[in-house]
Amino acid sequence: MTTRGVLYVHSAPRALCPHVEWAVAGVLGVRVQLDWVRQPASPGTWRAELSWRGEVGTASKLASALRGWHLLRFEVTAEPCATAEGERYSATPDLGIFHAVTGIHGDILIPEDRLRAAMVRAARGETALEAELAKLLGKPWDDELEPFRYAGEGAPVRWLHQVV
């Protein structure tokens, strides 16, 4: 079964750009040459977008391939398909990586065991329930990435298909 999604590289130092292309090519199984443009939200960094099509699990593989570079800000999305829910991965240097399962309308689906654990931590006084829910929804990642998302409006997007 195949799905499709988008890789958003929100900011990368220039020296890292070819390494990102190499890592993405390794996952997709095709040569990748991204259209890099300057990222005005972080001078000295570059951004790119790539629409992809591949097997279910490709988003996870892309996020894993990119997660080791500390100076990289990125998001990977995968649309739901007949055999799998959608996914969203967000990564920032300060927060690390966030993963969420998404439904057909893009809403984040939070598993009940994670909700129960958040309620238990809040009931014990370890944290506020609102803060726990914000983390489950990826709010800290959204807050950090939002200026980078707007700065990239109008950036070129290229479609690539994974060799299956």
Side-chain angles (χ1 to χ4, degrees):
M1 185 59 62
T2 62
T3 187
R4 62 184 180 175
V6 181
L7 165 64
Y8 303 94
V9 179
H10 292 299
S11 71
R14 188 65 175 154
L16 195 55
C17 295
H19 298 283
V20 169
E21 291 177 355
W22 175 80
V24 172
V27 171
L28 297 179
V30 296
R31 186 173 182 271
V32 172
Q33 186 173 358
L34 299 175
D35 294 322
W36 294 97
V37 295
R38 293 185 188 278
Q39 173 52 277
S42 180
T45 64
W46 297 78
R47 62 164 285 109
E49 295 180 15
L50 173 72
S51 295
W52 56 268
R53 184 178 308 260
E55 294 179 359
V56 170
T58 299
S60 173
K61 291 175 184 175
L62 287 168
S64 294
L66 299 175
R67 76 179 295 173
W69 291 309
H70 179 69
L71 298 175
L72 191 63
R73 284 179 183 85
F74 70 89
E75 291 182 276
V76 182
T77 64
E79 293 182 4
C81 64
T83 60
E85 300 287 355
E87 295 183 277
R88 182 179 124 205
Y89 293 86
S90 302
T92 74
D94 293 332
L95 298 172
I97 199 156
F98 167 78
H99 172 253
V101 174
T102 58
I104 61 171
H105 300 293
D107 297 324
I108 292 177
L109 307 177
I110 302 171
E112 62 185 78
D113 61 332
R114 293 184 72 193
L115 286 171
R116 284 192 184 104
M119 292 187 317
V120 167
R121 283 190 294 278
R124 289 182 184 157
E126 298 171 11
T127 185
L129 183 57
E130 184 177 312
E132 285 294 305
L133 293 176
K135 283 193 275 185
L136 289 173
L137 292 170
K139 184 173 179 353
W141 287 265
D142 285 339
D143 290 346
E144 187 170 329
L145 292 172
E146 199 63 22
F148 295 89
R149 293 173 180 149
Y150 284 118
E153 288 183 2
V157 178
R158 176 176 292 182
W159 273 95
L160 283 183
H161 302 281
Q162 180 181 16
V163 176
V164 180

